[in-house]
Coordinates of all heavy atoms in Angstrom, one line a residue:
L55 N 52.1 -77.4 -101.5 CA 52.9 -78.3 -100.7 C 52.7 -79.7 -101.3 O 53.7 -80.5 -101.4 CB 52.5 -78.2 -99.3 CG 53.2 -79.2 -98.3 CD1 54.7 -79.0 -98.3 CD2 52.7 -79.1 -96.9
A56 N 51.5 -80.1 -101.5 CA 51.2 -81.5 -101.9 C 51.8 -81.8 -103.3 O 52.4 -82.9 -103.5 CB 49.7 -81.7 -102.0
T57 N 51.6 -80.9 -104.3 CA 52.2 -81.1 -105.6 C 53.7 -81.1 -105.5 O 54.4 -81.8 -106.3 CB 51.7 -80.1 -106.6 OG1 52.0 -78.7 -106.1 CG2 50.2 -80.2 -106.8
A58 N 54.3 -80.3 -104.7 CA 55.8 -80.3 -104.5 C 56.3 -81.6 -104.0 O 57.3 -82.2 -104.5 CB 56.2 -79.1 -103.6
V59 N 55.6 -82.2 -103.0 CA 55.9 -83.5 -102.5 C 55.8 -84.6 -103.5 O 56.7 -85.4 -103.7 CB 55.1 -83.8 -101.2 CG1 55.3 -85.3 -100.8 CG2 55.4 -82.9 -100.1
G60 N 54.7 -84.5 -104.3 CA 54.5 -85.5 -105.4 C 55.6 -85.4 -106.4 O 56.2 -86.4 -106.9
S61 N 55.9 -84.2 -106.9 CA 56.9 -84.0 -107.9 C 58.3 -84.4 -107.4 O 59.1 -85.0 -108.1 CB 57.0 -82.5 -108.3 OG 55.8 -82.1 -109.0
L62 N 58.6 -84.1 -106.1 CA 59.9 -84.4 -105.6 C 60.0 -85.9 -105.4 O 61.1 -86.5 -105.7 CB 60.1 -83.7 -104.2 CG 61.4 -84.0 -103.5 CD1 62.6 -83.5 -104.4 CD2 61.5 -83.3 -102.2
T63 N 59.0 -86.6 -105.1 CA 59.0 -88.1 -105.0 C 59.3 -88.7 -106.3 O 60.1 -89.6 -106.4 CB 57.6 -88.6 -104.5 OG1 57.3 -88.0 -103.2 CG2 57.6 -90.1 -104.4
G64 N 58.7 -88.1 -107.4 CA 59.0 -88.6 -108.7 C 60.4 -88.4 -109.1 O 61.1 -89.3 -109.7
S65 N 61.0 -87.3 -108.8 CA 62.4 -87.0 -109.1 C 63.3 -87.9 -108.3 O 64.3 -88.4 -108.9 CB 62.7 -85.5 -108.7 OG 62.0 -84.6 -109.5
V66 N 63.0 -88.2 -107.1 CA 63.8 -89.1 -106.3 C 63.8 -90.5 -106.9 O 64.8 -91.2 -106.9 CB 63.3 -89.1 -104.8 CG1 64.0 -90.3 -104.0 CG2 63.6 -87.8 -104.1
I67 N 62.6 -90.9 -107.4 CA 62.5 -92.3 -108.0 C 63.4 -92.3 -109.3 O 64.1 -93.3 -109.5 CB 61.1 -92.6 -108.4 CG1 60.2 -92.8 -107.1 CG2 61.0 -93.8 -109.3 CD1 58.8 -92.9 -107.3
W68 N 63.4 -91.2 -110.1 CA 64.3 -91.2 -111.3 C 65.7 -91.2 -110.8 O 66.6 -91.9 -111.5 CB 64.0 -89.9 -112.1 CG 62.8 -90.0 -113.0 CD1 61.7 -89.3 -112.9 CD2 62.7 -90.8 -114.2 NE1 60.8 -89.6 -114.0 CE2 61.4 -90.5 -114.7 CE3 63.5 -91.8 -114.8 CZ2 60.9 -91.2 -115.9 CZ3 63.0 -92.4 -115.9 CH2 61.8 -92.1 -116.4
Y69 N 66.0 -90.4 -109.8 CA 67.4 -90.4 -109.3 C 67.8 -91.8 -108.8 O 69.0 -92.2 -109.2 CB 67.5 -89.4 -108.1 CG 68.8 -89.4 -107.4 CD1 69.8 -88.5 -107.8 CD2 69.0 -90.2 -106.2 CE1 71.0 -88.5 -107.1 CE2 70.2 -90.1 -105.6 CZ 71.2 -89.3 -106.0 OH 72.4 -89.3 -105.3
G70 N 67.0 -92.5 -108.1 CA 67.3 -93.8 -107.7 C 67.5 -94.8 -108.8 O 68.4 -95.7 -108.8
A71 N 66.7 -94.6 -109.9 CA 66.9 -95.5 -111.1 C 68.2 -95.3 -111.7 O 68.9 -96.2 -112.1 CB 65.7 -95.2 -112.1
G72 N 68.7 -94.0 -111.8 CA 70.0 -93.7 -112.3 C 71.1 -94.3 -111.6 O 72.0 -94.9 -112.1
R73 N 71.0 -94.2 -110.2 CA 72.1 -94.8 -109.4 C 72.0 -96.4 -109.5 O 73.1 -97.0 -109.4 CB 71.9 -94.4 -107.9 CG 72.1 -92.9 -107.7 CD 72.5 -92.6 -106.3 NE 73.8 -93.1 -105.9 CZ 74.5 -92.6 -104.9 NH1 74.0 -91.6 -104.2 NH2 75.7 -93.1 -104.6
L74 N 70.8 -96.9 -109.6 CA 70.7 -98.4 -109.6 C 71.2 -99.0 -110.9 O 72.0 -100.0 -110.9 CB 69.2 -98.8 -109.4 CG 68.9 -100.3 -109.5 CD1 69.6 -101.0 -108.3 CD2 67.4 -100.5 -109.5
F75 N 70.9 -98.4 -112.0 CA 71.2 -99.0 -113.3 C 72.6 -98.6 -113.8 O 73.2 -99.4 -114.6 CB 70.2 -98.6 -114.3 CG 68.8 -99.2 -114.1 CD1 67.7 -98.4 -114.0 CD2 68.7 -100.6 -113.9 CE1 66.4 -98.9 -113.7 CE2 67.4 -101.1 -113.6 CZ 66.3 -100.3 -113.5
G76 N 73.1 -97.4 -113.5 CA 74.4 -97.0 -113.9 C 74.4 -96.4 -115.4 O 73.4 -96.6 -116.1
A77 N 75.5 -95.8 -115.8 CA 75.5 -95.1 -117.0 C 75.2 -95.9 -118.2 O 74.4 -95.6 -119.1 CB 76.9 -94.4 -117.2
A78 N 75.9 -97.1 -118.4 CA 75.8 -97.9 -119.6 C 74.4 -98.4 -119.8 O 73.8 -98.3 -120.9 CB 76.8 -99.0 -119.6
R79 N 73.8 -98.9 -118.7 CA 72.5 -99.5 -118.8 C 71.4 -98.4 -119.0 O 70.5 -98.6 -119.8 CB 72.1 -100.3 -117.5 CG 70.9 -101.2 -117.7 CD 70.6 -102.0 -116.4 NE 71.7 -102.8 -116.1 CZ 71.8 -103.6 -115.0 NH1 70.7 -103.5 -114.1 NH2 72.8 -104.4 -114.7
V80 N 71.6 -97.3 -118.4 CA 70.6 -96.2 -118.6 C 70.6 -95.7 -120.0 O 69.6 -95.5 -120.6 CB 71.0 -95.0 -117.7 CG1 70.2 -93.7 -118.1 CG2 70.5 -95.3 -116.2
E81 N 71.8 -95.6 -120.6 CA 71.9 -95.2 -122.0 C 71.2 -96.2 -122.9 O 70.6 -95.8 -123.9 CB 73.4 -95.0 -122.4 CG 74.1 -93.8 -121.8 CD 75.5 -93.7 -122.2 OE1 76.0 -94.4 -123.1 OE2 76.2 -92.8 -121.6
R82 N 71.4 -97.5 -122.7 CA 70.7 -98.5 -123.5 C 69.2 -98.4 -123.3 O 68.4 -98.5 -124.3 CB 71.2 -99.9 -123.1 CG 72.6 -100.2 -123.5 CD 72.9 -101.7 -123.5 NE 72.7 -102.3 -122.1 CZ 73.7 -102.4 -121.2 NH1 74.9 -101.9 -121.5 NH2 73.5 -102.9 -120.1
I83 N 68.7 -98.2 -122.1 CA 67.3 -98.1 -121.8 C 66.7 -96.9 -122.5 O 65.6 -97.0 -123.2 CB 67.0 -98.1 -120.3 CG1 67.4 -99.4 -119.7 CG2 65.5 -97.7 -120.1 CD1 67.3 -99.4 -118.2
V84 N 67.4 -95.8 -122.4 CA 66.9 -94.5 -123.1 C 66.9 -94.7 -124.6 O 65.9 -94.3 -125.3 CB 67.8 -93.3 -122.7 CG1 67.5 -92.1 -123.6 CG2 67.7 -93.0 -121.2
A85 N 67.9 -95.3 -125.2 CA 68.0 -95.5 -126.6 C 66.8 -96.4 -127.1 O 66.3 -96.2 -128.2 CB 69.3 -96.1 -127.0
R86 N 66.4 -97.4 -126.3 CA 65.4 -98.3 -126.7 C 64.0 -97.9 -126.4 O 63.1 -98.0 -127.2 CB 65.6 -99.7 -126.0 CG 64.7 -100.8 -126.4 CD 65.1 -102.1 -125.9 NE 64.2 -103.2 -126.4 CZ 64.3 -104.5 -126.0 NH1 65.3 -104.8 -125.2 NH2 63.5 -105.4 -126.5
F87 N 63.8 -97.3 -125.2 CA 62.4 -96.9 -124.8 C 62.1 -95.5 -124.7 O 61.0 -95.1 -124.5 CB 62.1 -97.6 -123.5 CG 62.2 -99.1 -123.5 CD1 63.3 -99.7 -122.8 CD2 61.3 -99.9 -124.1 CE1 63.4 -101.1 -122.8 CE2 61.4 -101.3 -124.1 CZ 62.5 -101.9 -123.5
G88 N 63.2 -94.6 -124.8 CA 63.0 -93.2 -124.5 C 62.0 -92.5 -125.5 O 61.3 -91.6 -125.1
K89 N 61.9 -93.0 -126.7 CA 61.0 -92.4 -127.7 C 59.5 -92.5 -127.3 O 58.7 -91.7 -127.7 CB 61.2 -93.1 -129.0 CG 60.9 -94.6 -129.0 CD 61.2 -95.2 -130.4 CE 60.9 -96.7 -130.4 NZ 61.3 -97.3 -131.7
Y90 N 59.2 -93.4 -126.4 CA 57.8 -93.6 -126.0 C 57.4 -92.6 -124.9 O 56.2 -92.4 -124.7 CB 57.6 -95.0 -125.4 CG 57.8 -96.1 -126.5 CD1 58.9 -97.0 -126.3 CD2 57.0 -96.2 -127.6 CE1 59.2 -98.0 -127.3 CE2 57.2 -97.2 -128.5 CZ 58.3 -98.1 -128.4 OH 58.6 -99.1 -129.3
V91 N 58.4 -91.9 -124.3 CA 58.1 -90.9 -123.3 C 58.7 -89.5 -123.7 O 59.1 -88.7 -122.8 CB 58.5 -91.3 -121.9 CG1 57.7 -92.4 -121.4 CG2 60.0 -91.7 -121.9
F92 N 58.9 -89.3 -125.0 CA 59.4 -88.0 -125.5 C 60.8 -87.7 -125.0 O 61.1 -86.6 -124.7 CB 58.5 -86.9 -125.2 CG 57.0 -87.2 -125.5 CD1 56.1 -87.5 -124.4 CD2 56.5 -87.3 -126.8 CE1 54.8 -87.8 -124.7 CE2 55.2 -87.6 -127.0 CZ 54.3 -87.8 -126.0
F93 N 61.7 -88.8 -124.9 CA 63.0 -88.6 -124.3 C 64.0 -89.5 -125.1 O 64.0 -90.7 -124.9 CB 63.0 -88.9 -122.9 CG 64.3 -88.6 -122.1 CD1 64.8 -87.4 -122.1 CD2 65.0 -89.6 -121.5 CE1 66.0 -87.1 -121.4 CE2 66.1 -89.4 -120.8 CZ 66.6 -88.1 -120.7
N94 N 64.8 -88.9 -125.9 CA 65.7 -89.7 -126.7 C 67.2 -89.5 -126.2 O 67.4 -88.8 -125.2 CB 65.7 -89.3 -128.2 CG 66.0 -87.8 -128.4 OD1 66.8 -87.2 -127.7 ND2 65.3 -87.2 -129.4
G95 N 68.1 -90.2 -126.9 CA 69.5 -90.3 -126.5 C 70.1 -88.9 -126.5 O 71.0 -88.6 -125.6

Side-chain angles (χ1 to χ4, degrees):
L55 178 61
T57 57
V59 171
S61 295
L62 183 60
T63 301
S65 293
V66 169
I67 292 173
W68 279 116
Y69 174 87
R73 294 202 67 159
L74 176 66
F75 294 125
R79 193 179 299 177
V80 165
E81 289 180 9
R82 289 198 298 270
I83 293 172
V84 170
R86 185 171 182 182
F87 301 106
K89 60 184 178 181
Y90 298 111
V91 290
F92 314 105
F93 186 59
N94 57 36

